[in-house]
Amino acid sequence: MTTTSPPIAIPRPARPGRRASSARAAGGRWTGWAFLAPFAVVFALVFIAPIVYALWLSLFRNQLVGGNAFVGLENYVAAFGDGAFWAGVVRVALFLLIQVPIMLFLSLLVALALDSGRLYGTGFFRLSIFLPYAVPAVVAALMWGFMYGTRFGLVGNLNDLLGIQLPDLLSPSLVLASIGNIVTWEFLGYNMLIFYSALRVIPTSLYEAAAIDGASQFRIIRAIKLPAIRGSLVVATIFSIIGSFQLFNEPSIMQSLAPNAITTSFTPNLYAYNLAFAGQQLNYSATVAIIMGVITMVIAYVVQLRGMRRAD
């Protein structure tokens, strides 16, 4: 009887080429992190750290007796029952629903007119419409605020010259519309440039095919141009939503011109600013800022989700 011994597995020598490729891959990963590190450090210090600090502040309350005390979510409960805060939120929401569609529609209209190729001096019009965006918001608010005045501005001069009584644009019932006019004047050119850039990259073959089919200009706009710039429309809408909820410069500057119309809680950002630097309520101000950040993020995300879904 003969016995056979089991075969002995001989380990296969590792291929030097594979080991070297693994080492190169690991080295490549570290090289990527090395390139990313400067941005990551700046991002953590400039974006993440202030949010974490505001969250930490919102969990405390500075009291006369006991100093800075941990109160958990009590500041958030107080904010949800704060009528002044929610009045400001409703005001900027109304501003968003009226001013943003008007501004985007006018921007789109101007971009389509410039892209039509039927205007003379396109470069001059494009630069002239974009120029207000280069004006600082503080300067724009001061300039328009003095024009709105019925006693010292352009409206007042017209009243004296013509012997009429134009509406007071700084009154409580009209001041929000007056601010909307300033914001539209400032950002119409910026949004126009986004739409115009998107229109310029549409392939000319689509226009040639539409011309062969005998499509009218309105048909070309509806079937080719608007679907092609849908992504740009979504981006401009998101930027406008974020800007509306961050409304601060214009009401802050015009508050001295219309103190009866623009209160310290006119917008949530103005409310948070006055809480922190006039009322010394840093913890509650941080709470208001965190809630507004969450509201803005949720609305912008929903708009982006619905806009991109329709684009698909």
Side-chain angles (χ1 to χ4, degrees):
M1 180 175 179
T2 59
T3 59
T4 57
S5 59
I8 301 174
I10 301 174
R12 301 175 61 183
R15 296 180 181 178
R18 182 179 299 177
R19 185 177 299 174
S21 63
S22 301
R24 281 197 299 271
R29 284 196 294 270
W30 285 112
T31 303
W33 280 109
F35 278 108
L36 188 63
F39 166 77
V41 170
V42 174
F43 182 78
L45 292 176
V46 176
F47 291 94
I48 303 299
I51 295 174
V52 173
Y53 183 61
L55 279 171
W56 180 80
L57 281 178
S58 68
L59 302 177
F60 290 83
R61 181 180 299 160
N62 195 5
Q63 302 171 342
L64 291 176
V65 180
N68 208 27
F70 180 78
V71 294
L73 299 178
E74 286 187 12
N75 286 330
Y76 291 92
V77 175
F80 281 112
D82 189 344
F85 168 63
W86 288 109
V89 174
V90 171
R91 194 172 289 113
V92 293
L94 180 65
F95 181 86
L96 168 67
L97 292 175
I98 296 175
Q99 186 269 334
V100 170
I102 293 175
M103 178 182 64
L104 294 182
F105 174 74
L106 293 177
S107 302
L108 179 62
L109 204 62
V110 174
L112 290 171
L114 293 175
D115 184 66
S116 67
R118 300 187 178 187
L119 292 178
Y120 293 104
T122 304
F124 172 76
F125 283 112
R126 190 169 61 239
L127 181 61
S128 301
I129 296 170
F130 181 75
L131 195 59
Y133 181 69
V135 178
V138 174
V139 176
L142 282 173
M143 183 179 69
W144 280 97
F146 281 112
M147 285 198 293
Y148 288 153
T150 55
R151 290 175 298 160
F152 46 80
L154 178 63
V155 174
N157 293 335
L158 290 175
N159 287 340
D160 296 337
L161 180 65
L162 303 176
I164 58 177
Q165 189 65 36
L166 294 174
D168 185 3
L169 299 176
L170 297 177
S171 63
S173 58
L174 294 178
V175 72
L176 190 62
S178 301
I179 293 174
N181 176 60
I182 299 173
V183 176
T184 303
W185 180 80
E186 287 179 286
F187 291 96
L188 190 146
Y190 173 77
N191 291 297
M192 177 273 296
L193 203 61
I194 294 176
F195 299 149
Y196 182 70
S197 302
L199 287 169
R200 298 305 294 172
V201 298
I202 297 176
T204 55
S205 58
L206 295 178
Y207 297 139
E208 294 169 357
I212 293 173
D213 291 341
S216 63
Q217 284 297 320
F218 179 74
R219 176 70 176 172
I220 291 174
I221 291 173
R222 192 166 62 88
I224 296 177
K225 293 186 177 182
L226 290 183
I229 66 170
R230 190 188 299 273
S232 301
L233 284 167
V234 173
V235 170
T237 304
I238 292 173
F239 286 168
S240 301
I241 290 172
I242 295 172
S244 297
F245 281 114
Q246 292 178 345
L247 192 62
F248 176 79
N249 287 330
E250 290 80 6
S252 176
I253 296 300
M254 293 175 63
Q255 191 177 22
S256 57
L257 302 175
N260 296 327
I262 301 177
T263 62
T264 55
S265 60
F266 189 76
T267 67
N269 273 9
L270 193 60
Y271 188 41
Y273 174 82
N274 284 298
L275 283 172
F277 298 103
Q280 298 298 318
Q281 301 183 51
L282 294 176
N283 305 104
Y284 191 55
S285 173
T287 307
V288 170
I290 291 294
I291 294 175
M292 281 309 301
V294 172
I295 292 175
T296 306
M297 184 177 62
V298 169
I299 294 178
Y301 179 72
V302 169
V303 170
Q304 180 187 8
L305 201 62
R306 293 185 64 84
M308 292 304 177
R309 183 178 298 172
R310 288 182 180 180
D312 295 338

